[in-house]
Amino acid sequence: MQDLRTLQAVKLNVGEEQFILRTELKGHAYDVFKAIGCRSPNRIMEHNVSGK
């Protein structure tokens, strides 16, 4: 769980588009996602803002 706590994300605006970038998974963070049956979030995700 300590490795998972190091995971961070930041929003990035590029023109009219918004993205969310996450840090690299470190240590056993990947194993935590695997243990709960989820895949880890993508490194770069498009963030759609509602109302646009």
Side-chain angles (χ1 to χ4, degrees):
M1 290 301 291
Q2 184 175 354
D3 292 331
L4 190 58
R5 286 187 195 103
T6 65
L7 185 63
Q8 296 182 13
V10 64
K11 286 184 184 177
L12 175 68
N13 295 318
V14 179
E16 295 290 320
E17 297 180 293
Q18 286 189 348
F19 299 90
I20 298 175
L21 308 167
R22 72 154 174 84
T23 57
E24 186 70 33
L25 294 175
K26 301 211 177 189
H28 297 284
Y30 173 80
D31 296 328
V32 174
F33 285 105
K34 187 176 175 182
I36 62 172
C38 293
R39 65 182 195 97
S40 62
N42 294 331
R43 286 285 311 265
I44 302 173
M45 297 170 278
E46 188 170 358
H47 180 65
N48 296 320
V49 179
S50 60
K52 282 193 170 185

